[in-house]
Amino acid sequence: MKLFARYNRVNLVTNIVLMLITGFAYYQAISWVLTRQKDKDLQNEEMEILEYVKYNQELPQVFESKYLQIAFKIVPTSSVKRKFIDTLYYKKWGKDNPKRRIYHTDGDYEPGRGLVTAVIAGHQYYKVIIVESKVETEDLIRIIFLITAGVILLLLLLLLMTSRLILNRLWRPFYSIMHELKLFNIAEPTAIPKLDTVIDEFKEMNAVVSEMAAKAKHDYQTLKTFTENASHEFNTPIAIINSKLDSLLQTDAFNEKQGKLLDDLYEGVSRINRLNQSLLLLVKIENRLLQEMQRIDLKTLIEEMLIQFEEIYQDKELILRYQLHEKEIFANSYLIEILLSNLITNAIRHNYTGGEMILELSNESFSIRNTGESRALSGDEIFTRFHKSSGSEGSGLGLTICRQICENFDLSLTYNFDSPYHIFTVLFPA
Amino acid sequence: MKILIVEDEQALRESIEDYFTEAGNICETANDYASALTKTNLYRYDCILLDITLPGGNGINLLENLKKNNYPDGVLIISARNSLDDRLLGLDLGADDYLVKPFHLSELKSRVTAIIRRKSFNGSNLLKFNEISIDLAGKEVKVGKRLVKLTPKEYGLLLYFIANQEKVVSKNAIAEHLWGDRIDIADNFKFIYSHIKNTRKKLMEAGSKDYIQAAYGTGYKFSAK
């Protein structure tokens, strides 16, 4: 829910409730005032009747009037209590009113206000009912109701319009900052641009976000530089250990036990070295230092790679199947070679003896599927740094490097498990 | 052959010197830019192993100086920076090869041997080791007069062994030489064994002596002794 939708909802409800209360109060007040007015009229009428009776000692003649009806009725003495009542007023329609024909009656009831009183004329006790039509009062109230409803509708409309306007205008800087944040890439050198706005809150937000982004980028850069320098510095000591091992190997005859130790040492150094080279490579890819692009004939490249790997997968007795169509991409050949070689290495390494490896290259994608562990790998974790499956002797950086390379060239790398195959797919940009 | 090792890291310099010093080889060393410059201006070498980052100067400048004076020395750059730009710059300026630290001494030796071979046997592409003769241009191997059919990897292996004859070469070095460092397969060396076994078998079937010896389970030695 958008902030303004929320705000509007609350605002609208309060306004409507307020309007309804106001309408009700109006109704009560006007109704009260008008009823008082009617009551006064009725009192006047009563007074006139009483005066008339006082002087003439008989009941006045009753004329039919448009707004007033008076009725006299003989009742037992003192049985009438004077009071005002809300009653009905029977309104007679005019002789030529079309309603007479439609309803087959000569009139209709409308709300009325009455006064019940008594008069003694010629020793006779009469109950007097004076009724006046209240139809104008009802009309008035209806008008008030309509006006209130109209105002509520107008308010609603205005609120909707202003919120639209505000969303589009006032909140534009906010959305602009959001957009920048979404695009934010810590590895990119571009800074978050300064926003053109007069609103203090947004100005501040823009400043804070820019500062934060700049700091994050700076820290990241420092870290990368550190990694790069550290890796480079590692190269020399590794070179020394390596060369000393090579020299040691030339010295004397070793027994089997010493030979095994030497073997383990070589293996350890080799792993440090590969790890270090992988880290250096990652830094280079992230820094986009390998930017020489060229057309690469993927089919030929993959075929060459398969020849390179022949001894290795044959040694593991893997069954290789492949279907390669012509496909060219525009990228850095060194990195694409690493991408392919890492994927193929994984497919061999995490396979079992006598397993399968299937490669497919089409115009849309390159996929490599291999048998291996019988359950799926965790799709997100495998691409994180130093995530290793149990028993793997790899550096734990292979897939991280693959993903980074793919990101560099707008390729997407995904993992699926379709028992018994683990499938890695590189999707080419459309 | 006469070799100059320009390397400021003492331990590494000594290892290289040890490895290259053998009958018929003269190794000289320089540990900074100035001494390297003096030596390269005074003497000629079959091959100069040149580190790029040196105290007192850049190895690239030394290379430029050599080329400016038209000295024919072979140059192999050894650098701790695996940068494509450095590599291209070095090769553009006339270096014969470029090797990134860390490396195996056997790899270095094989590269240096290849450079010297290219420089000295002008046109003659025949490499001989006792009864084995190798036509480097045609990539043909003969034992006596009998042709031995080797796969490209077995051929590479044989050249590597001959360049490092009488040395123990580790399995790691062989794997990296044949498959390159991009192929991260060091967790399995069994297939190297089968390559060596095949090469040895083919050579011996053609009448060669058994030169390839396993050494302590760690490596192999190509030895005439």
Side-chain angles (χ1 to χ4, degrees), chain B residues 82-133:
Chain B
N82 183 9
S83 141
L84 207 62
D85 289 342
D86 280 1
R87 186 189 291 260
L88 289 177
L89 179 66
L91 297 179
D92 274 354
L93 286 174
D96 296 275
D97 208 345
Y98 188 101
L99 193 57
V100 179
K101 286 182 199 171
F103 46 76
H104 286 285
L105 293 177
S106 47
E107 181 66 32
L108 184 67
K109 183 90 188 290
S110 119
R111 304 262 188 131
V112 170
T113 312
I115 291 173
I116 293 174
R117 201 187 291 139
R118 278 203 300 272
K119 295 255 172 210
S120 50
F121 292 91
N122 292 317
S124 158
N125 281 315
L126 210 64
L127 174 69
K128 274 189 159 284
F129 181 85
N130 292 353
E131 69 272 26
I132 303 172
S133 57

Side-chain angles (χ1 to χ4, degrees), chain A residues 235-366:
Chain A
N235 271 342
T236 304
I238 294 172
I240 291 171
I241 298 174
N242 230 347
S243 69
K244 292 297 168 192
L245 273 174
D246 286 343
S247 302
L248 183 64
L249 211 53
Q250 316 305 331
T251 49
D252 257 316
F254 294 104
N255 60 34
E256 203 177 305
K257 200 174 167 189
Q258 289 166 320
K260 176 80 178 72
L261 287 173
L262 275 172
D263 213 24
D264 290 347
L265 276 171
Y266 264 116
E267 181 51 36
V269 175
S270 162
R271 275 175 74 171
I272 294 180
N273 187 29
R274 274 179 285 141
L275 187 62
N276 200 37
Q277 299 310 321
S278 298
L279 278 175
L280 268 173
L281 181 65
L282 255 184
V283 174
K284 268 188 211 164
I285 302 169
E286 282 174 359
N287 280 342
R288 312 222 164 203
L289 290 176
L290 299 159
Q291 290 293 56
E292 302 83 25
M293 307 275 272
Q294 63 186 84
R295 298 214 150 274
I296 300 165
D297 177 359
L298 275 185
K299 188 184 178 214
T300 313
L301 185 61
I302 292 169
E303 282 167 350
E304 281 171 11
M305 293 232 134
L306 287 175
I307 293 170
Q308 280 280 308
F309 280 101
E310 204 173 9
E311 296 85 3
I312 303 163
Y313 66 76
Q314 278 177 357
D315 180 67
K316 220 166 175 177
E317 291 160 29
L318 297 184
I319 300 157
L320 171 74
R321 277 181 286 158
Y322 55 90
Q323 197 172 17
L324 307 175
H325 293 278
E326 296 291 341
K327 173 72 185 173
E328 266 195 355
I329 59 167
F330 193 64
N332 178 286
S333 65
Y334 175 70
L335 292 182
I336 294 299
E337 272 178 46
I338 289 171
L339 170 68
L340 294 173
S341 119
N342 279 357
L343 290 176
I344 297 173
T345 307
N346 277 344
I348 297 173
R349 176 181 284 147
H350 301 291
N351 222 319
Y352 47 74
T353 306
E356 286 177 75
M357 178 161 81
I358 303 162
L359 279 74
E360 270 171 48
L361 175 68
S362 70
N363 204 33
E364 291 78 36
S365 67
F366 167 69

Side-chain angles (χ1 to χ4, degrees), chain A residues 38 49 56 131 138 156 166 168 227 264 316-317 322-324 340 354 356 365 367-368 410 415:
Chain A
K38 287 278 170 215
I49 292 168
N56 301 318
V131 180
E138 296 292 316
L156 221 135
I166 282 167
N168 285 342
T227 315
D264 290 347
K316 220 166 175 177
E317 291 160 29
Y322 55 90
Q323 197 172 17
L324 307 175
L340 294 173
E356 286 177 75
S365 67
S367 75
I368 177 163
D410 288 329
Y415 166 76

